[in-house]
Structure formats: structure tokens, C-alpha cells
Amino acid sequence: MAPPASPPSRVFAELDLAPALTPVPEGRVGLAALPGREVHVSGSAELSARPDRARVSLRLGSRRLRGIPEENMTVTEDFSRVENTYQMEAEVCIIFSDFGKMQNVCNLLIEKLGTSVTINPPHFYHTPEAIDTLRRQVCVTAVGNTRRKAQEVCRLFGQALGNPLLIKEEETKEWGGHIDSHLSHSADSQTLQERIQNATAYASCRVFAVFEIKGKENRRKKLL
């Protein structure tokens, strides 16, 4: 799914550089920088995360699969009567976190069991932990982008950026991705990479921040 176009980032700067009168001994007039100067900056970020799990279901006559941990495999036995005999089939559902290993296992089953095994296309999805990680990363990235913009604005006026006074998450969006579901609505004709791409999750975040302005930038530090 193609991500929607992100809104352009906005930068607002409030740089009060005008000097103000300060109390000095009688008979003199002094000038000093006005306290409370701030720079207001708005920035955004957009990140994506590929699915971290894949579910593969298959039907076969034997449920002995080597190299697959039992906790990642679910077996459902299905008995049916064919004429005067009973036929048993096993539906095996396997969860993979290593997609390369998933392909190797599926290829091995097809090679060894042939037509006696039916393997459905894999269903890719995200665990809740993966989505939470994506949300945190996009927010942190947006804050970092906002701080860098504030630094550029200050340098433009020869000022040094101070501590943050306010950081506010204004808007977050999420789209795409698949949840942990046994149902897959993707077409069987899709390639493996197309399925992964369709299951990729996206997130964007817009942040507003206010930073204090220290004063003149240290030229020696700037050269270093």
C-alpha cells in the first residue's frame, strides 16, 4: 500500500534579538539581551516496519516436522470416512520469525512429501511489540528532526540553542500492516516480496517544540 503524502514540515521562529534596557548605576545607560527568548519549531517523521512474523498452514498425513519448535506449531487432526476406511489428515500451523527458514522448511516439505502435502501461502503480520516499537521510533525521530531544525534556525541568526521548554506530539497516523489473524485476504498469485510489502506497517508523527535561546553562538566551538 503506497503511503499517503506527508504534510510539509513547518518552521516557526520567534527570535527576539532586540536589546532591552537594564538597571545600571545612576548616570549610565546599559543594554542587555532580553530574557525569555524562544524558538518555536514544528517537524515530522515517517517510518515503516516490515512484518516480523509469518504464519504458514499446511495439510499432510504426518505431523512429524524436524527442526520446528513445538511451541511454534499447532496441529489439528481431521478424520473423515472414505468408503469402508477412515482417513486422517493433519493441519499444521507454524509461526516463523525467520522468513529465510520459513522458505527452507516449505521447500523441503514439498521436495520430500510431494503431492501429499498442501502448503497455503504465508500470512505476514506484526506482533504488538513490533507496532509499539514503530510508534516509539517515529516519535523519537520526529523530536530529533525538530531539534535539528531549531539548531539551524538559531545558527542562521548566530545564536546558540538552549534547553527544550516544551515538546508536544501534535499528530500521529498509522496505516497498512496486518494483525495477528488466521485469515489472509491477499491473492494467491502474489509473490513473497509482494506479500511482505502489503503487510508493511507505516507510521507518521508531527511534533511541536519550544527551545530557549542561550545567546551568541560560540564561534570557536562552531569551527571545531
Side-chain angles (χ1 to χ4, degrees), residues 59 77-90:
R59 296 184 67 87
E77 296 179 349
D78 180 22
F79 288 88
S80 60
R81 184 172 181 175
V82 180
E83 296 179 351
N84 294 327
T85 62
Y86 288 95
Q87 178 178 329
M88 190 277 287
E89 289 186 346

Side-chain angles (χ1 to χ4, degrees), residues 10 25 32 47 55 59-60 72-73 103 105 114 116 128 133-134 136 143 152 167 171-172 178 181 190 210 213:
R10 299 174 298 160
L47 296 178
R55 177 183 289 104
R59 296 184 67 87
L60 69 165
N72 294 341
M73 182 172 59
Q103 288 182 285
V105 170
S116 63
T133 299
L134 175 62
R136 291 194 302 269
V143 172
E152 293 176 4
I167 298 177
E171 182 184 54
T172 58
H178 290 164
S181 171
Q190 290 180 338
V210 179
I213 300 174

Side-chain angles (χ1 to χ4, degrees), residues 192-208:
L192 189 68
Q193 292 303 318
E194 288 174 339
R195 289 177 176 276
I196 294 176
Q197 181 62 37
N198 289 338
T200 298
Y202 298 85
S204 65
C205 179
R206 188 172 72 239
V207 171
F208 174 77

Side-chain angles (χ1 to χ4, degrees), residues 21-212:
L21 293 175
T22 56
V24 293
E26 186 177 356
R28 290 187 176 182
V29 177
L31 295 178
L34 181 69
R37 298 180 306 166
E38 302 172 349
V39 55
H40 296 197
V41 182
S42 175
S44 63
E46 179 182 306
L47 296 178
S48 63
R50 289 158 59 96
D52 62 326
R53 293 292 187 275
R55 177 183 289 104
V56 176
S57 61
L58 52 95
R59 296 184 67 87
L60 69 165
S62 174
R63 66 180 188 182
R64 295 180 60 184
L65 298 176
R66 294 184 178 179
I68 305 297
E70 292 185 1
E71 61 269 20
N72 294 341
M73 182 172 59
T74 303
V75 180
T76 303
E77 296 179 349
D78 180 22
F79 288 88
S80 60
R81 184 172 181 175
V82 180
E83 296 179 351
N84 294 327
T85 62
Y86 288 95
Q87 178 178 329
M88 190 277 287
E89 289 186 346
E91 182 179 13
V92 182
C93 184
I94 311 172
I95 304 298
F96 292 93
S97 58
D98 186 335
F99 299 162
K101 183 175 182 180
M102 175 194 71
Q103 288 182 285
N104 293 335
V105 170
C106 292
N107 292 338
L108 179 63
L109 290 174
I110 293 176
E111 178 184 351
K112 298 298 183 181
L113 302 179
T115 57
S116 63
V117 61
T118 301
I119 301 179
N120 295 324
H123 171 64
F124 296 96
Y125 64 94
H126 294 84
T127 59
E129 294 78 11
I131 295 297
D132 288 341
T133 299
L134 175 62
R135 291 168 179 163
R136 291 194 302 269
Q137 287 179 342
V138 73
C139 180
V140 171
T141 303
V143 172
N145 292 341
T146 304
R147 183 177 184 276
R148 282 189 289 272
K149 288 184 179 181
Q151 286 178 322
E152 293 176 4
V153 171
C154 287
R155 287 173 182 171
L156 182 63
F157 294 94
Q159 304 296 302
L161 186 68
N163 296 325
L165 303 177
L166 171 69
I167 298 177
K168 180 181 179 182
E169 189 178 55
E170 290 191 321
E171 182 184 54
T172 58
K173 292 182 179 179
E174 297 177 16
W175 64 96
H178 290 164
I179 60 174
D180 183 3
S181 171
H182 287 271
L183 300 178
S184 177
H185 302 287
S186 303
D188 292 343
S189 59
Q190 290 180 338
T191 65
L192 189 68
Q193 292 303 318
E194 288 174 339
R195 289 177 176 276
I196 294 176
Q197 181 62 37
N198 289 338
T200 298
Y202 298 85
S204 65
C205 179
R206 188 172 72 239
V207 171
F208 174 77
V210 179
F211 295 88
E212 65 176 352

